[in-house]
Amino acid sequence: MGIQRTAPRTTAVGIVAATLVAGGVLGSAPAAQAAPNGVRFVDIAGDGGITLKANVVTPSGASAGSRHPLLVLPTSWGLPQVEYFAQAQKLADSGYVVVSYNVRGFWQSGGEIEVAGPPDIADASKVIDWALANTPADPRHIGMAGVSYGAGISLLAAAHDKRVRAVAALSGWADLIGSIYSGRTQHVQAGALLDGAGRITGRRSEELKGIFRDFYASDLSREQDLIDWGKRRSAATYVDQLNDSGAAVMLANAWGDTVFPPNQYADFYEKLTGPKRLEMRPGDHATPEITGLLGVPNDVWKDTERWFDRHLRGEDNGIDREPPVQLKPRSSGGYESYPDWKSVAATERKISLGGSTTIRANVDSGADGGIVFLSSILDQVAHLPPMASIPLLPRRWAAVWQSGKYPAAQHIRGTAKLHTTVTPTEESGTLVAYLYDVGPLGLGKLVSNAPYTFHGRTPGRPFGLDLELYSTAWDVSAGHRLALVVDTVDPLYIEHNPSGARLTFSSPADDPSYVSIPLREQ
C-alpha cells in the first residue's frame, strides 16, 4: 500500500514456526483406536454440507436423559483436532460435554480456509446443532472457547448465535485489521506465519490467496477492500450484537503477542457491557496457554474453567466478584487486579520531545521489535526482551530522546502515547517508535513499540502524528531512564520509505511533542 521497500523475507521463518507448532508440538490427527479413553471421533456436516472432523468427550457415567453444559472448541489456525485433548478430558471430568472440531479448510476437514468468514460462523452453529441432537448437551448452557483462530471464531459465533451464553477467547483477536495492519503498516512476520501455516496444513481459498498478495504488494488501490474484508471478520464490528445477547466474555492475551497485539483486546473489552473479564500476561502469541494444552497446570485454563463453571453451571466460585481486569507484569511476579481497564493507569507522566531532529530512512538503526515468537518468549521465561545500546544508536538513522534518571521505581501500566510533528521529504513513509528502559550502562530493554505509515502527504509540509504504542506492564527500576527511539526500518513490518527519504521531528511552541507514559498508582 504504497512503495514497498521490505519484501516479505521472513516467510521462511513463518513456515518453519508453523511447522514446529502444528507438527512437532501436537502431532498429526490420531486414528480412532489411538484416542484417549472416552473420546469419540465423529464427522459433522458443516455449512454447505462440508465435513468437519471433530471429537467428542462426554462426562463418564452420564445417565440416559441427563443433561450437561456444552463446550464447543474450534481449533487454532493450522493445528489438528488433537489440540484440546488434555483440556477437553479435564472439562468432561468436571461435567461438561466437549466437542472440539477442526475448522474448515485445515487438515481433514472439508472446504477452504475462510479466515473466520460467514461459513466459519455458520459451522459453529452447525456443530452446536449436532451436539444437541447427538450428545447429552443442555441447550440452555452452551459455551465456546478457543486459542488464537479458535478464539476469534468463538467471539464471532457468540455474536451471531444467541444460544452461546459464555465465551473464553484466548490469544485471539477482536479487530483483525487492528492486529496485522495497525498503524496502516503490514505486520509482515505475523502475516508470513499465518500464510505459511495455511500453505502447509490447509487449503487456501482464491480469496485468501488474493488477500495475501495484496497484503504483501502494498497496493493502495486494494487497501479499502482489505480493511472491509477484515472488518467482516472482527468481533468488534458486531459488539452491539454480542452485548444484546448478554453472553459472558472472558478475554486473555499476552503483552508481547506479535500476531494479535494487546491493544485491540483492551479496546474491545471496554465496549462490552455484559459479564466480562480481561487477563494479560507475559509472553507471545498463545504461549501463555500452551502448557495447558499439554496437560500441565496453567493459570489461563484454570480461569477458563472457573469462568464456565460460574456462567454455565451456576457455581458460586467467586470469579464474578473478583476485579475483572487481571494483569501479570512482565518484570515482576504477582498478579494485579483492577476494576476496569481505565484504572490500570492511575496517572500519566509526559516526557518532552524537544528540539528538531532529522533522520534518514531505509536503514535499520539497531532498534527493533524483535523476532515473532522468539523475542517475547525470551521475555516471558527469562525476562530478556529485545535490547539496544541507546548511546550507540546511530543518530543518522534514529531519533533519540531520554528522560532524566528516576529517583524511584516507575510502574508502567497501559498504553504509552506518542504525539509529535513530522515533516517528510516524500509523500509516503514509515516510522517505528520504541520505548526503552535504559540502565546505568546505557543498555535499553524494550518496553513497547508500534509502527506508523503515512501516504499522500505533501513533501516539506509538517503534520501532526498521534500513535499508541502497544499496551504493556513493565517496572522501571530506580536510577534508570526511559528513552523514546524512532527509526524507519524493523523486520517485523513492511516499510514504505522511498530511497533517500528523510523525516524531521519537531516540537512547535503551540503544539509541543511528547510521549505520555501511563503509570500505576505509586
Side-chain angles (χ1 to χ4, degrees), residues 7-335:
R9 57 185 180 273
T10 53
T11 301
V13 174
I15 291 174
V16 171
T19 304
L20 289 174
V21 173
V25 176
L26 294 178
S28 56
Q33 63 265 27
N37 292 334
V39 177
R40 286 191 296 135
F41 285 87
V42 299
D43 291 344
I44 298 175
D47 185 56
I50 69 152
T51 298
L52 298 172
K53 293 294 183 177
N55 55 73
V56 185
V57 191
T58 55
S60 60
S63 59
S66 63
R67 286 291 178 263
H68 301 269
L70 169 66
L71 290 179
V72 174
L73 311 178
T75 53
S76 301
W77 183 276
L79 267 64
Q81 59 172 305
V82 300
E83 177 183 8
Y84 300 115
F85 267 176
Q87 290 301 321
Q89 289 197 292
K90 187 173 185 299
L91 290 163
D93 290 343
S94 297
Y96 292 92
V97 173
V98 184
V99 180
S100 174
Y101 71 97
N102 240 129
V103 292
R104 66 169 53 221
F106 285 102
W107 293 82
Q108 297 167 317
S109 286
E112 297 177 325
I113 301 170
E114 298 287 346
V115 195
D120 289 299
I121 299 169
D123 284 347
S125 292
K126 292 284 188 181
V127 172
I128 292 173
D129 293 341
W130 182 92
L132 294 178
N134 294 277
T135 74
D138 187 338
R140 301 167 301 170
H141 301 102
I142 298 173
M144 290 190 67
V147 175
S148 185
Y149 194 41
I153 290 175
S154 294
L155 282 175
L156 287 162
H160 289 83
D161 191 330
K162 292 188 175 182
R163 293 177 297 180
V164 180
R165 306 309 309 144
V167 177
L170 316 178
S171 290
W173 79 92
D175 182 349
L176 189 55
I177 295 302
S179 296
I180 62 173
Y181 190 54
S182 71
R184 216 176 170 187
T185 307
Q186 298 99 317
H187 296 209
V188 67
Q189 286 191 11
L193 174 67
L194 298 174
D195 190 17
R199 290 170 185 262
I200 292 171
T201 64
R203 296 168 300 282
R204 300 179 304 154
S205 66
E206 289 304 315
E207 180 188 41
L208 181 57
K209 292 176 184 178
I211 288 293
F212 276 117
R213 281 196 302 269
D214 294 341
F215 181 79
Y216 295 135
S218 306
D219 182 356
L220 273 179
S221 69
R222 301 290 295 170
E223 181 181 38
Q224 191 58 50
D225 293 336
L226 174 67
I227 292 171
D228 292 342
W229 176 87
K231 283 185 176 179
R232 290 192 295 271
R233 290 159 169 80
S234 298
T237 303
Y238 312 101
V239 67
D240 291 341
Q241 292 173 221
L242 192 56
N243 287 334
D244 288 344
S245 78
V249 178
M250 172 180 157
L251 306 171
N253 204 4
W255 293 119
D257 195 319
T258 46
V259 180
F260 303 129
N263 296 46
Q264 47 94 31
Y265 248 17
D267 292 344
F268 181 67
Y269 173 83
E270 287 291 275
K271 297 174 184 176
L272 295 172
T273 59
K276 60 183 181 178
R277 183 178 178 90
L278 176 66
E279 300 186 355
M280 296 284 193
R281 297 174 174 84
D284 205 310
H285 183 61
T287 62
E289 295 88 18
I290 195 167
T291 57
L293 294 176
L294 300 175
V296 178
N298 177 280
D299 287 350
V300 188
W301 286 103
K302 178 182 177 181
D303 286 347
T304 296
E305 183 172 356
R306 293 175 64 220
W307 188 251
F308 287 131
D309 285 347
R310 179 68 188 98
H311 294 287
L312 295 183
R313 298 175 62 192
E315 182 179 309
D316 186 11
N317 57 16
I319 195 169
D320 54 330
R321 294 190 296 273
E322 296 173 0
V325 176
Q326 299 285 323
L327 311 181
K328 187 174 184 180
R330 292 163 51 205
S331 48
S332 60
Y335 283 89

Side-chain angles (χ1 to χ4, degrees), residues 346-361:
T347 186
E348 67 176 23
R349 178 169 294 163
K350 291 182 178 179
I351 300 173
S352 175
L353 309 179
S356 179
T357 303
T358 299
I359 61 173
R360 288 170 166 78

Side-chain angles (χ1 to χ4, degrees), residues 351 402-406 436-440 476-483:
I351 300 173
Q402 293 193 75
S403 72
K405 292 182 179 179
Y406 292 109
Y436 284 99
D437 173 358
V438 185
V476 180
S477 299
H480 285 209
R481 306 173 186 265
L482 285 172

Side-chain angles (χ1 to χ4, degrees), residues 490-516:
D490 189 307
L492 285 174
Y493 313 112
I494 288 180
E495 50 107 351
H496 301 265
N497 297 295
S499 180
R502 297 189 304 275
L503 300 176
T504 297
F505 301 93
S506 57
S507 183
D510 60 347
D511 186 20
S513 297
Y514 61 85
V515 59
S516 175

